[in-house]
Amino acid sequence: MKNLRTAVLLGLGLYLATFYATPLPGDVRRWDLLRHLALLADDFLAANWFGSPAQFTFADRLPVLLAASLILGWAAALGWLLLVVFRASVTQLTRLETFVFATAAGLASLGTWVLLLGLFGFLDRTGTFLIPAALTLIAVLWTWHRRSRRGLTAPAAAAMEPAPNNLLSHRWLWLAVPFVVAVALAAMLPPFEFDVCEYHLQAPKEFFEQGRITFLPHNVYANMPLGVEMLSLLGMVVTGDWWLGALVGKMVIAAFTPLCALGLFAAGQRFHSTTAGVAAALLYVSTPWVASTSILPADINVSSSGLIEGALACYLFLALDALLLWHESAARCGGRPRGMLLLAGYLAGAAVATKYPALLLVLLPLTVWLLVTKSRQPTAAGEPGEWRRRAGRAAIFLVAAAVACGPWFAKNWALTGNPTYPLLHGTFDGRTWNAEKDARWNRVHRPHDFSAATLAKDVGRVALTGPLLSPLLIPLAVLALLRPGAVSRRLVWQLFAYIAFAIAVWWLLTHRIDRFWLPTLPLLALLAGIGVCWTTERWWRVTVRGLLLATLAANFLLAAAGPGNAWFVPLTALRADPHWVPDPWHRYFNRHATDGCVLTVGDAAVFDLRPPVIYSTCFDDCPFEQLVHDKSAAEIRQAFAARRIAYVYVNWAEIARYRSPGNYGFTPFVQPSVFDRLVRLGILAPLPPLEGQHGQAYRVLGD
C-alpha cells in the first residue's frame, strides 16, 4: 500500500506540474495566468462585472430570468407527464432523478413542439406557449391527483450507496453554486461567438421574423437538426422580441449544465457513493469548458455562450444513465420495465435532434450496448430466445429515439428531398446542394492527417494541453481503475470504453474541433468522482479535499475575471458595445440603416444586425453573385430595388480567411474589381472607412 500511495502522489504531482506549466493560446503558461489574475483580481472584477465607468443593474435581466424560468417549469411538468406515459418507474426513482429526467425529456419535447407548430406557421405566444402550458399544468394536477389516490406518487427513498464513503458529504455541493450563478449571469449577456451568431441564434431569429419554419437556402446550417435552438425560438415567441428572446434561449440552454451536474450527483450516489456523486458534479460544473470562462484568446464555453454541446452532453449522459437504471432494475425489482428503456431511447433521440454527430456518439453505441449486453433473467419456456429479446429491446429503444429526432429528418425530407441534408448528398441529393458543394464540405469536415505524431498531439490536447481542461479530471479518472470495488468495476470499464469510442470517432471522422469530443465530459467527471473514492485513508482525504478546493478556486477565478463578464452592465449599453458587437460596420448599420436591407458578402455572423439582412454562408450560393454576375447595370439596379437593398457590405477579412489554405473556400467571383465596376457604373458609392473596420461598405444609389 505504501508503494501505491507513493506512486499515486508522484503521478498526481507530475501531472499537475505539467498541466500548470503548459502554455496556453497567447503563449502564457497556466500558472502565470492564474498568478496574474490573482494579483489583479479586484481590478478585473470591478472593471468587468460593472464596466468602466462602473454601472450596476439587474432589473433588465428579470424579464429574461422570468421567461426562462417559465419555459423550464413547463419543461419539467411536461417531462413528468412523459415519465408517467412511458411508465418509467417514477416511484422507483428518487425525487432528484425524477426531476432531472423529467426536465431533460420535457425540454426535448418542447423543441419538437416548437418545430411542429413552426412548420405550420403557428408561432404566436398564445397558441405556442400560454394555452399548451396551462393545459400541461392541468394535466399534471389531474394525473397527480389520480396517482395519489392509487398510492403511486411517493418517490423512492434515496438510493442506497453500494460503497459508503464519507470523504465528501452532500454539503460540498454548495460549492457548485458560484459556478451555476456565473453561468446564469453570463447566459443573460448578448451573444458574440461566431457559430452562435451565424446559425444557433440567427436561424431562430429568421424563423421568428417570418413567423414560420422554412428551408433557408442561404444558411445550410439552419437546415440541420435544431432541437435545442427551438428553445431559443420559443423564448423569442414568449417575449415577442428576437433579441430578448435570444437571451432567454441562452439562459434555457445554460440550464443543461446544472441539470447535468445534478444528474451526475444522482448517478454517482446510486451507482457508487455520495462522495463520487458530489465530486463528479463539482468537477463537471467547474471545468472551464463548461463554466462561464472568457479570459483566454481561444476561449469558448459550452454553457452560457449559446453553443449546444452542453445540451448534447446532458442528453448523452442521461440516456446512458437511464439505460444503466433499466439494466439495474432486474436486480432491484425483479424485471426491466420498458419505461426506462423508452426514456433512454427518447433522450438518445433528443441528442440526435440536437446535432447529427449524436448518431455516432450516442445512438450507435447505446444500441450496440443493448444488443451485446446479456439479460440477467433466464429465458423461460415459451419465451423468445436471448437474441430475439436483445433485438426487441433495441427496437423499442430505436422507436423511442425516432419519436424524438424523426420529425427533423421528416422535415428535411419534405423541404429538401434529403432527410440528412446536407449530408449523404450522393444518396439523397438535396435542394440547392450539388456535387461541388458536397466535395468542398467533405474536404474541410473530414480529417486528413492520420500520422502518429498528429495522433499523439491530439490525444495530448484531450488529456493535458487543451486550454479549457480542468486539472483534476484526467488524473482522478485514471484513479478510478484502482480498486473501484465489485459494484463499480463494470461501470468504470464501460465508461472508459465509451470515452475511447467517442475520442476515436472524433479523431477518425470529424475535423477535430475540441467541442466535438466535449459531450463525453460528464462521463469523464463520473469516472473522476469514482476515482476520488479509491481509498478512504486519512492522508488521501486531506490531499483530495485540498486539491479540490484549490481547483475550484482557480477555475472560478478564470470564470469570473474574463473581459466578457459584464454581468451587471445594462443590456442597452452592451447591445452597442464593441466587445459584443465587434464589427464597426454592424454598429454603423444598426444606427443608420433604417430605409432598406443590408446585403452582406462574406459576412454570415449577422445575428446582431437590427435592419433586415441578406446574407449567405460560405457553402451557399452567394446572393451578391446571383444579383450581379453577367447582369447589365439596369438589371442590377432593378434587382437591388426589388430586394430593397440599401447597403452592401463586403467583409474582406472573412473572405480571406475562407480562402486560406485548408479552409472552407469562397466563390471566386467576389473580387475588388467587381465592386470597383459597380462604383464606376454609379450603382454603389463607398462609405468612408471606419476605425477597426473588417471590410468595405457601400451605399446603393438610386436611379
Side-chain angles (χ1 to χ4, degrees), residues 190-191 195-206 229 232-233 236 242 245-247 249-250 253 305-306 607:
D195 286 354
V196 175
C197 293
E198 183 187 37
Y199 68 97
H200 288 305
L201 287 178
Q202 175 60 23
K205 172 187 173 183
E206 291 187 57
E229 288 85 348
S232 298
L233 178 55
M236 296 175 187
W242 61 264
L247 305 189
K250 288 176 76 237
I253 294 171
S305 63
F607 172 79

Side-chain angles (χ1 to χ4, degrees), residues 325-359:
L325 288 171
W326 169 81
H327 188 68
E328 181 198 56
S329 64
R332 189 178 72 237
C333 58
R336 286 193 178 100
R338 288 184 176 180
M340 293 306 296
L341 186 58
L342 287 169
L343 177 61
Y346 190 75
L347 292 173
V352 177
T354 300
K355 202 167 187 175
Y356 277 138
L359 283 165

Side-chain angles (χ1 to χ4, degrees), residues 19-22 24 28-36:
F19 181 87
Y20 281 106
T22 300
L24 295 170
V28 56
R29 294 181 303 172
R30 284 189 173 97
W31 173 250
D32 292 332
L33 175 62
L34 285 175
R35 184 176 58 180
H36 177 70

